[in-house]
């Protein structure tokens, strides 16, 4: 396949040892990061995080290897049910504390752009979800995938905003050099999640150095504030979270209603999150869940491939807890 910049993109094969891990072990290593195998369990998790720790959430249905129109339809239906459940559950008493939804365009097409396809059908399907979520009073964030998806995804978000779906947010990956330009072309007032990006990209279009990516998070957050955006600062790096809330936010003269800090469910950052919520900083966890483990295993195996350190961290946490 060819990316927008003309380079040929091939999805990297999984590391051989990751391919050999049996599904039960994949599940074991990824278990702390998944809120269960049903929508009811995900909503219970979100309600519990809010009631006990004052944490907000964004829900994500794990789905990978969507290869039939039926699987696409099932995925759309699942997200429609998520929007309704998030809106109507009485454990979320005010609209601003309801879970939002996070979705990936690749979950709604049998022609994924990172495997040579054109993403056919995905924007139409995601638009249905965003429109329904809007009716239910639920925000949606369109996750960012590999660089084969960047233009396609940002164009989609701009199109939705033009059509009045202004509660749809997007994600910018600071590792990509293009992000500097992309942030100048976002729809006015759009919610923006800033991340370093999880996809390995060629050196010609992306940074390789993590510290440089994180420094860009701080610089881009300041620029987004200046442009009037709501900033979702998504990292587990405590030093950078602190620099964001203690330096960038006060320098920009921004109130607590214009930003939040986001982390993944399961990454052990309890003390930091408690401190932030006690200080009145909004904190939101990204809560993935599955509907049956079959679909989730492929996704989780890829996360392990991208972040093998996860296995060591799970074991370390197990030892620490026991
Ligand atoms: C809420 C949220 C949404 C995201 N959405 C997207 C997206 O749409 N597109 C995209 O490309 N990327 C997304 N990401 C992933 C992001 O791009 C990074 O790859 C990821 O957050 C790891 O980078 P870091 O900034 O946390 O720094 P790192 O240096 O990788 O991590 C800092 C420390 O946090 C810990 N840590 C980090 N990740 C994990 C983990 N998975 N398990 C256990 N410990 C961990 C480690 O101790 C590490 O030393 C998202 C991340 C978050 C938190």
């Amino acid at each position: 396949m060819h990316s927008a910049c003309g380079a040929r993109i091939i999805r990297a094969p999984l590391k051989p040892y990751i391919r050999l891990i049996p599904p039960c072990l994949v599940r074991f290593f990824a278990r702390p990061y998944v809120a269960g195998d049903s929508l009811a369990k995900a909503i219970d998790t979100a309600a519990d995080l809010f009631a006990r720790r004052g944490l907000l959430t964004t829900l994500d249905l794990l789905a990978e290897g969507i290869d039939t129109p039926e699987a696409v339809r099932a995925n759309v239906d699942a997200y429609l049910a998520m929007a309704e459940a998030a809106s109507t559950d009485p454990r979320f008493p005010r609209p601003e504390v309801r879970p939002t939804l996070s979705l990936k365009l690749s979950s709604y097409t049998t022609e994924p752009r990172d495997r040579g396809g054109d993403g056919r059908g995905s924007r139409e399907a995601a638009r249905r979800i965003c429109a329904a979520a809007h009716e239910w009073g639920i925000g949606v964030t369109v996750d960012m995938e590999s660089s084969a998806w960047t233009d396609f995804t940002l164009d989609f978000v701009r199109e939705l905003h033009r059509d009045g779906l202004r509660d749809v947010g997007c994600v910018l990956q600071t590792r990509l050099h293009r992000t500097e330009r992309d942030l100048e072309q976002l729809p006015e007032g759009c919610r923006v999640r800033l991340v370093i990006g999880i996809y390995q990209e060629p050196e010609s279009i992306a940074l390789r150095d993590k510290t440089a990516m994180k420094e860009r998070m701080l610089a881009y957050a300041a620029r987004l504030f200046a442009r009037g955006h709501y900033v979702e600062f998504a990292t587990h790096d405590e030093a950078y979270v602190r620099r964001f809330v203690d330096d960038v936010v006060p320098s920009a003269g921004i109130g607590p209603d214009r930003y939040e800090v986001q982390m993944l469910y399961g990454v052990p950052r309890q003390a930091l999150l408690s401190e932030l919520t006690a200080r009145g900083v909004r904190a939101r966890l990204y809560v993935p869940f599955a509907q049956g483990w079959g679909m989730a295993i492929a996704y989780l195996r890829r996360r392990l491939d991208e972040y093998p350190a996860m296995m060591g961290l799970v074991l370390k946490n197990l030892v620490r807890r026991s």
Side-chain angles (χ1 to χ4, degrees):
M1 80 164 292
H2 292 83
S3 73
C5 60
R8 192 169 162 73
I9 291 175
I10 299 167
R11 181 184 272 221
L14 295 176
K15 295 176 191 72
Y17 76 92
I18 297 277
R19 244 181 296 141
L20 290 174
I21 302 176
C24 59
L25 263 190
V26 172
R27 228 178 109 171
F28 170 77
F29 282 121
R31 196 183 42 162
Y33 303 94
V34 181
D37 57 0
S38 68
L39 172 56
K41 287 182 188 162
I43 291 280
D44 283 350
T45 301
D48 187 55
L49 287 166
F50 176 63
R52 285 196 306 111
R53 297 170 55 196
L55 294 170
L56 304 174
T57 46
T58 185
L59 304 178
D60 168 60
L61 174 64
L62 298 179
E64 177 142 315
I66 300 284
D67 51 8
T68 62
E70 291 71 36
V72 169
R73 271 197 295 277
N75 226 358
V76 172
D77 289 345
Y79 267 82
L80 297 176
M82 285 156 71
E84 179 173 357
S87 180
T88 55
D89 195 300
R91 290 172 292 179
F92 307 108
R94 300 182 305 284
E96 67 275 17
V97 302
R98 292 173 185 156
T100 60
L101 310 182
S102 287
L103 58 80
K104 290 180 179 54
L105 289 179
S106 61
S107 302
Y108 310 104
T109 181
T110 55
E111 299 289 332
R113 295 179 64 80
D114 49 342
R115 277 189 276 156
D118 57 7
R120 190 173 317 154
S122 60
R123 293 199 275 209
E124 293 74 9
R127 172 184 276 273
R128 263 189 73 202
I129 295 167
C130 293
H134 179 76
E135 293 297 313
W136 285 111
I138 297 296
V140 177
T141 298
V142 185
D143 285 353
M144 189 55 81
E145 304 181 65
S146 74
S147 57
W149 289 92
T150 314
D151 278 322
F152 189 82
T153 305
L154 291 176
D155 284 348
F156 174 61
V157 172
R158 279 191 283 266
E159 196 182 288
L160 293 182
H161 274 251
R162 268 198 305 275
D163 296 346
L165 294 174
R166 306 183 61 81
D167 41 8
V168 172
C170 67
V171 180
L172 291 181
Q173 300 159 322
T174 63
R175 76 172 57 214
L176 295 182
H177 300 314
R178 59 170 291 163
T179 297
E180 177 144 29
R181 290 189 313 281
D182 289 335
L183 72 77
E184 304 291 341
Q185 287 159 29
L186 294 171
E188 206 185 310
C190 180
R191 263 185 310 112
V192 183
R193 180 193 299 155
L194 268 181
V195 297
I196 61 172
I198 200 165
Y199 302 88
Q200 293 294 333
E201 301 287 355
E203 211 161 356
S204 53
I205 62 164
L207 291 173
R208 285 287 163 84
D209 177 52
K210 260 194 179 179
T211 305
M213 295 174 201
K214 290 177 190 170
E215 289 295 325
R216 277 188 180 171
M217 282 185 73
L218 297 174
Y220 292 174
R223 284 169 63 175
L224 289 167
F225 281 143
R227 288 178 48 83
H229 293 282
Y230 182 95
V231 175
E232 304 176 349
F233 199 78
T235 179
H236 309 97
D237 193 318
E238 181 161 350
Y240 280 86
V241 171
R242 290 192 184 285
R243 285 175 65 190
F244 172 65
V245 294
D246 294 336
D247 302 340
V248 178
V249 169
S251 302
I254 290 298
D257 57 338
R258 283 274 310 282
Y259 70 95
E260 64 188 50
V261 169
Q262 295 190 346
M263 296 187 196
L264 299 179
Y265 174 73
V267 178
R269 289 289 179 273
Q270 276 84 343
L272 175 61
L273 289 168
S274 303
E275 183 195 318
L276 292 173
T277 48
R279 287 172 58 183
V281 174
R282 280 184 193 155
R284 188 181 303 273
L285 294 188
Y286 186 104
V287 177
F289 73 101
Q291 279 194 329
W293 286 102
M295 206 63 121
I297 293 295
Y299 172 92
L300 295 170
R301 200 184 287 280
R302 278 184 18 89
R303 295 285 86 77
L304 284 181
D305 188 65
E306 279 152 1
Y307 203 84
M310 199 190 261
M311 292 182 274
L313 287 165
V314 169
L315 291 175
K316 210 165 82 190
N317 285 328
L318 261 186
V319 172
R320 211 187 281 157
R321 273 183 214 143
S322 59

